[in-house]
Amino acid sequence: MAPRVSLVTLGVADLERSRRFYEALGWRSTSKPEDGVVFFQSGGMVLALWGREELAKDSMVEDTGGWGGVTLACNLRSAAEVDGFIERARNAGATIPRAGAETFWGGYSGVFIDPDGHPWEVAHNPFWTITDDGDIVLPEPATGG
Amino acid sequence: MAPRVSLVTLGVADLERSRRFYEALGWRSTSKPEDGVVFFQSGGMVLALWGREELAKDSMVEDTGGWGGVTLACNLRSAAEVDGFIERARNAGATIPRAGAETFWGGYSGVFIDPDGHPWEVAHNPFWTITDDGDIVLPEPATGG
């Protein structure tokens, strides 16, 4: 079986602030405040929030601050859904450096930045399938994995 | 429906080097070199590789270099599988700052760093379910999402 991205952990400065932000976007956490970490079921994987210092230490990296070359995306079924999600993020306290608009690759997307500076692209990609379960399926399925 | 992490994009310095690295770990890309981007189907989501400068520009962020507070994890079914995957990463050219070992939270994990400095935890978490399809299911399923 091909390997998987099972978990994406975002390092945050204020765990409860970030939990409220992501819950306002529609995720539901299954963890308790005293756990010191927040887990959201996100399809077949997990989105987690953890203190950034602890995450850096656990990941054996030096935290240089700022952005480090990773961007997440949430794909939706239409341009209208993208605009709606961007508005939901704005209302939850995100900054919106790029509103929804047509892209050079033939889709539609915008960007929001979460309270810790993590950027998310919100996109409609007409070339990719979104199943009823919300899974993304690339046009040429991977084989041999 | 709750939102999803549909796509995780890693900014890289050399697209073909990174494609080879992730293919050596077992992912299969569906894109061609001339596409300028690499997509791997990864369960119900997509793992992508793209030039870090282009990703920063597209994500509307300033690239401060180094790590930026995001760590990915690949969860496996046993400590032995973790050790095997860490070895596969080492053979593919990863650095291994933390070999597989028991963790404070009752699991087993190690860390590898990819050719661009992106850290991955490779973990066995006995408290989480891995389905036959490779999906992760948290112990208390999210409701109301």
Side-chain angles (χ1 to χ4, degrees), chain A residues 29-87:
Chain A
S29 73
T30 58
S31 40
K32 305 172 197 72
E34 61 267 30
D35 292 341
V37 62
V38 173
F39 295 126
F40 300 108
Q41 185 79 45
S42 182
M45 48 86 74
V46 175
L47 174 64
L49 309 174
W50 198 20
R52 183 160 167 153
E53 279 184 39
E54 294 159 289
L55 181 61
K57 190 176 174 189
D58 196 70
S59 304
M60 308 295 288
V61 290
E62 185 186 352
D63 186 2
T64 47
W67 183 76
V70 183
T71 296
L72 307 182
C74 177
N75 279 31
L76 298 169
R77 292 186 170 78
S78 68
E81 284 191 29
V82 169
D83 288 340
F85 199 77
I86 292 277
E87 274 313 296

Side-chain angles (χ1 to χ4, degrees), chain A residues 4 6 30 69 75 133 135 140, chain B residues 4 6 30 75 133 135 140:
Chain A
R4 296 281 290 265
S6 310
T30 58
N75 279 31
D133 289 339
D135 285 350
E140 301 168 70
Chain B
R4 295 281 290 267
S6 311
T30 59
N75 279 32
D133 289 338
D135 286 350
E140 302 168 70

Side-chain angles (χ1 to χ4, degrees), chain B residues 8-145:
Chain B
V8 175
T9 304
L10 301 179
V12 303
D14 180 332
L15 201 61
E16 287 308 308
R17 177 184 69 175
S18 296
R19 178 211 294 267
R20 285 193 301 274
F21 176 80
Y22 283 98
E23 289 193 336
L25 295 189
W27 273 283
R28 293 289 170 266
S29 73
T30 59
S31 39
K32 304 172 197 73
E34 62 267 30
D35 292 340
V37 62
V38 172
F39 295 126
F40 301 107
Q41 185 78 45
S42 182
M45 47 87 74
V46 174
L47 173 64
L49 310 174
W50 198 20
R52 182 160 167 153
E53 280 184 37
E54 294 159 290
L55 181 61
K57 191 176 173 189
D58 196 70
S59 303
M60 308 296 288
V61 291
E62 186 186 351
D63 186 2
T64 46
W67 183 76
V70 183
T71 296
L72 307 183
C74 177
N75 279 32
L76 297 169
R77 290 185 170 79
S78 67
E81 284 191 29
V82 170
D83 288 340
F85 199 77
I86 292 278
E87 274 312 297
R88 197 195 284 195
R90 187 197 308 272
N91 292 335
T95 57
I96 314 295
R98 176 154 72 75
E102 292 184 9
T103 67
F104 71 91
W105 45 266
Y108 184 93
S109 82
V111 169
F112 73 81
I113 309 283
D114 91 350
D116 289 278
H118 299 299
W120 283 76
E121 184 174 41
V122 184
H124 170 60
N125 183 335
F127 309 108
W128 290 1
T129 300
I130 302 183
T131 70
D132 288 345
D133 289 338
D135 286 350
I136 301 294
V137 182
L138 290 171
E140 302 168 70
T143 57

